[in-house]
């Protein structure tokens, strides 16, 4: 119970940081899971969730202005067919819409689909979503697959997922959908080296390129590709001795407002502090040695670390931590220049 209360406190604080009024979204006994929330460049917020409508399953959506006013009189209904559906991830597109990734259990086979809503809430890519591939879920139920979305600069989204390939075994597959839902990577992109088993994160650079942060047995692996799927610069991006946070602390990235990218540890491991490195807009690492994240972590009783870009080019950090499992959690916040 204490853990759930801590998560609620953390979410409440995040809302306060965004300076948004609390708005009721939906009251229904048919809501199934937690849903997704994304904000576009205009400050509009999309909220999406799944419901069991009795005769089938739906994904529903509502959009809110910067003042918290709903854009639609009633939630938008996204048709998904009669089979159970699980919303995996949603990203705001460059043209004011959203792209969503979801999975369905269709006759005991779990498959992935994508769909796009335009700024008016109208579905753009076929009636019941565009088929992607069978989902390599950890179990036979609707468990989230190893797949990530990232909005591109074409009004669509990149999709990278972990799955089987007949010739190469389990690898990362890549797709790049334009605004009309066409995969502009005409040849299937397979990211083969090294063998990976997890998609940690995708990030769009200011130049419109995609950075893929994946995991394998020896650590994290970063590569950069352009809209055509071709590697840019070194592959991998960083040399083996590069000064970046290392496995097993699962480095993640946060883009700043001036094109720079903060690379930081996301997992507190064996008493070692969380660390960070800064990469400038040209792709150069700034620090000669890693810097510690100044969040005052006490021990391994830490909740999820959140980092956001501030308008002046710095970053805001927040996390939940506690002295031990039997004491109340503390919400710690710090600002970086």
């Amino acid at each position: 119970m204490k853990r759930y209360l801590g998560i609620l406190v953390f979410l409440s604080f995040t809302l306060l940081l965004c300076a948004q009024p609390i708005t009721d979204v939906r009251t229904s006994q048919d809501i199934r899971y937690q849903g997704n929330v994304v904000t576009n460049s205009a400050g509009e917020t999309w909220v999406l969730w799944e419901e069991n409508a009795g005769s089938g399953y739906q994904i529903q959506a509502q959009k809110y202005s910067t003042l918290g006013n709903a854009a639609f009189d009633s939630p938008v209904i996204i048709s998904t067919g009669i089979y159970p559906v699980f919303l995996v991830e949603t990203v705001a597109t460059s043209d004011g819409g959203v792209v969503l990734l979801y999975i369905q259990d269709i006759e005991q086979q779990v498959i992935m689909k994508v769909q796009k809503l335009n700024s008016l809430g109208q579905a753009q890519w076929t009636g019941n979503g565009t088929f992607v591939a069978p989902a390599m879920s950890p179990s036979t139920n609707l468990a989230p697959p190893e797949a990530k979305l990232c909005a591109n600069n074409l009004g669509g989204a990149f999709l990278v997922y972990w799955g089987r390939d007949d010739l190469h075994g389990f690898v990362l597959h890549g797709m790049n959908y334009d605004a009309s839902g066409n995969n502009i990577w005409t040849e299937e992109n397979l990211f083969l080296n090294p063998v990976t088993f997890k998609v940690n994160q995708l990030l769009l650079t200011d130049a419109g390129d995609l950075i893929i942060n994946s995991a394998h047995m020896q650590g994290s692996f970063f590569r950069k590709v352009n809209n055509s799927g071709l590697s840019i610069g070194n592959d991998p991006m960083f040399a083996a001795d590069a000064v970046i946070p290392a496995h097993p602390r699962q480095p993640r990235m946060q883009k700043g407002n001036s094109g720079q990218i903060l690379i930081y540890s996301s997992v507190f491991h064996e008493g070692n502090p969380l660390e960070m490195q800064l990469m400038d807009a040209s792709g150069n690492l700034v620090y000669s040695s890693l810097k510690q994240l100044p969040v005052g972590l006490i021990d391994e009783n830490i909740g999820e670390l959140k980092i956001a870009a501030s308008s002046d080019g710095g970053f805001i950090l927040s996390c939940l931590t506690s002295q031990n499992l039997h004491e109340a959690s503390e919400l710690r916040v710090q600002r970086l220049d």
Side-chain angles (χ1 to χ4, degrees):
M1 178 61 72
K2 173 192 151 187
R3 180 177 182 84
Y4 292 115
L5 289 175
I7 292 173
L8 287 174
V9 171
F10 187 61
L11 292 175
S12 299
F13 174 79
T14 303
L15 289 173
L16 290 174
L17 278 182
C18 297
Q20 296 286 345
I22 295 176
T23 301
D24 288 337
V25 176
R26 178 73 163 167
T27 300
S28 173
Q29 294 181 343
D30 300 324
I31 295 175
R32 305 183 68 222
Y33 301 116
Q34 63 183 7
N36 289 176
V37 180
V38 294
T39 301
N40 61 26
S41 58
E44 300 169 322
T45 299
W46 285 90
V47 184
L48 297 95
W49 64 93
E50 315 99 325
E51 292 197 16
N52 182 348
S55 59
Y57 296 82
Q58 301 172 345
I59 295 175
Q60 298 192 18
Q62 181 59 273
K63 184 173 71 170
Y64 296 89
S65 69
T66 55
L67 298 177
N69 299 318
F72 314 118
D73 292 337
S74 58
V76 172
I77 296 176
I78 304 164
S79 178
T80 61
I82 63 174
Y83 299 101
V85 61
F86 182 97
L87 182 61
V88 177
E89 193 169 24
T90 307
V91 293
T93 60
S94 59
D95 57 3
V98 290
V99 171
L100 48 143
L101 169 68
Y102 59 96
I103 55 177
Q104 281 188 292
D105 185 357
I106 297 180
E107 297 176 352
Q108 298 184 340
Q109 181 185 30
V110 180
I111 64 171
M112 289 187 290
K113 287 185 175 183
V114 288
Q115 180 60 281
K116 179 185 176 182
L117 300 183
N118 65 14
S119 60
L120 300 177
Q122 299 165 333
Q124 301 292 289
W125 298 349
T126 77
N128 288 324
T130 299
F131 172 79
V132 176
M136 296 300 299
S137 295
S139 61
T140 57
N141 60 12
L142 292 186
E146 284 297 337
K148 298 289 184 183
L149 282 179
C150 179
N152 56 30
N153 58 0
L154 307 173
F158 295 98
L159 170 62
V160 177
Y161 67 93
W162 182 77
R164 184 186 295 275
D165 177 72
D166 291 339
L167 296 178
H168 305 95
F170 295 105
V171 296
L172 293 186
H173 301 251
M175 298 178 174
N176 189 17
Y177 295 99
D178 63 16
S180 300
N182 302 309
N183 178 19
I184 64 175
W185 288 352
T186 53
E187 295 185 5
E188 184 180 20
N189 275 45
L190 302 177
F191 303 113
L192 303 175
N193 186 28
V195 176
T196 53
F197 61 88
K198 182 178 181 181
V199 189
N200 284 336
Q201 186 184 15
L202 305 179
L203 183 143
L204 184 72
T205 69
D206 283 357
D209 303 319
L210 177 71
I211 298 179
I212 304 170
N213 172 9
S214 57
H216 60 96
M217 293 302 295
Q218 284 73 42
S220 294
F221 191 89
F222 293 81
R223 53 166 43 100
K224 184 191 293 186
V225 298
N226 61 17
N227 268 326
S228 298
L230 302 176
S231 293
I232 299 175
N234 297 324
D235 187 13
M237 285 181 61
F238 305 116
D241 59 351
V243 182
I244 61 172
H247 177 81
R249 283 181 279 172
Q250 299 179 16
R252 293 182 64 82
M253 303 172 288
Q254 173 62 52
K255 186 168 66 174
N257 286 327
S258 301
Q260 77 275 35
I261 296 173
L262 186 71
I263 305 171
Y264 63 94
S265 306
S266 63
V267 176
F268 192 73
H269 181 70
E270 295 181 353
N272 296 312
L274 299 186
E275 297 174 317
M276 61 180 171
Q277 172 64 277
L278 190 67
M279 183 167 63
D280 64 24
S282 299
N284 302 308
L285 298 178
V286 175
Y287 307 135
S288 59
S289 60
L290 296 178
K291 295 181 178 293
Q292 290 190 18
L293 282 173
V295 289
L297 303 181
I298 299 170
D299 59 16
E300 294 190 14
N301 299 313
I302 174 177
E304 185 176 1
L305 175 69
K306 295 285 188 181
I307 298 183
S310 60
S311 58
D312 62 357
F315 299 91
I316 302 295
L317 288 64
S318 66
C319 70
L320 282 172
T321 184
S322 62
Q323 291 278 3
N324 56 61
L325 293 175
H326 305 290
E327 294 190 8
S329 296
E330 299 175 352
L331 179 62
R332 293 176 177 264
V333 183
Q334 185 58 271
R335 182 180 181 278
L336 303 178
D337 60 15

